[in-house]
Amino acid sequence: MLKNSNYRIELITSEEAWSIRQPVLREGKSIEACIFDGDDFETTFHVGLFMADRLIAVATFMKNSNKLFLENNQFQLRGMAVLKVFQGNGYGHHILKFGESILAKQGVKMIWCNARKIAVPFYQKNNYTIKGDSFIIPEIGIHYVMGKTLGI
Ligand SMILES: CC(C)(COP(=O)(O)OP(=O)(O)OC[C@H]1O[C@@H](n2cnc3c(N)ncnc32)[C@H](O)[C@@H]1OP(=O)(O)O)[C@@H](O)C(=O)NCCC(=O)NCCS
């Protein structure tokens, strides 16, 4: 757990992650639409940021390799979401760093994600780079694969 006077960051359940994914990433859709294959895998973990005991930001880290990267030990970042009124205050950055530090300790070498076009600047600020061409995820829009090498 990471705690300071304003917030705390800790591991959360998949159900808690769904509760923030829904309004941020699947607005107007059912909770079932917020469930990802692999949410309950043993290697998957979910990270949440709480302000005064209210969960406001989540991210999920899943063991999954992308052929665009050569590293053996890869994780995928999924469901990166901060409640709208709290966006742009560094909480996304903090939660990402927390998850990345867990992965680095596990010896994971590469983290990657399918980044929505609108979120590309956020990932770039966190030292992720675009790999390959853009692609479309139906009902969501244009995405880029972005990755970052860990532990160097
Ligand atoms: C993208 C997101 C996770 C970033 O978290 P955050 O806490 O808002 O971001 P931070 O404060 O750590 O970083 C700030 C940077 O994020 C980006 N950002 C801020 N608000 C954003 C928003 N509403 N949507 C997308 N990117 C945003 C900007 O590049 C910003 O930099 P700037 O202030 O210099 O312009 C969050 O804004 C969000 O949940 N957006 C909607 C859902 C989404 O797009 N998720 C990513 C799916 S791949």
Side-chain angles (χ1 to χ4, degrees):
M1 195 199 333
L2 173 69
K3 195 170 178 185
N4 67 26
S5 53
N6 297 320
Y7 61 82
R8 71 175 203 276
I9 301 177
E10 63 188 33
L11 297 181
I12 57 169
T13 64
S14 46
E15 286 82 0
E16 286 176 306
W18 304 338
S19 74
I20 302 297
R21 285 181 197 167
Q22 188 178 34
V24 181
L25 297 168
R26 298 284 187 276
E27 199 179 355
K29 301 216 167 135
S30 68
I31 204 79
E32 286 72 28
C34 306
I35 302 171
F36 301 151
D37 284 345
D39 267 342
D40 56 353
F41 286 176
E42 211 169 296
T43 45
T44 298
F45 63 96
H46 308 275
V47 173
L49 186 148
F50 294 82
M51 289 191 77
D53 289 332
R54 179 183 176 195
L55 183 61
I56 63 146
V58 299
T60 294
F61 299 83
M62 257 182 216
K63 189 166 174 56
N64 190 20
S65 289
N66 186 314
K67 290 195 177 97
L68 287 174
F69 302 105
L70 300 174
E71 286 80 358
N72 285 325
N73 198 354
Q74 302 180 23
F75 260 69
Q76 181 181 5
L77 165 65
R78 300 196 66 187
M80 177 83 238
V82 178
L83 287 181
K84 201 174 179 69
V85 292
F86 296 100
Q87 291 173 8
N89 290 297
Y91 302 127
H93 168 75
H94 295 313
I95 211 169
L96 198 46
K97 290 296 285 183
F98 187 90
E100 287 173 0
S101 67
I102 292 175
L103 294 177
K105 282 183 204 140
Q106 289 180 8
V108 174
K109 295 286 181 256
M110 167 64 64
I111 180 167
W112 64 274
C113 64
N114 292 325
R116 293 181 181 201
K117 190 178 177 193
I118 193 176
V120 166
F122 165 74
Y123 291 113
Q124 285 172 329
K125 280 189 179 144
N126 286 284
N127 298 316
Y128 288 66
T129 53
I130 290 176
K131 189 90 176 170
D133 298 326
S134 68
F135 59 98
I136 292 174
I137 297 185
E139 294 186 51
I140 305 180
I142 298 173
H143 283 70
Y144 292 86
V145 172
M146 297 186 77
K148 174 179 179 175
T149 307
L150 295 174
I152 52 167

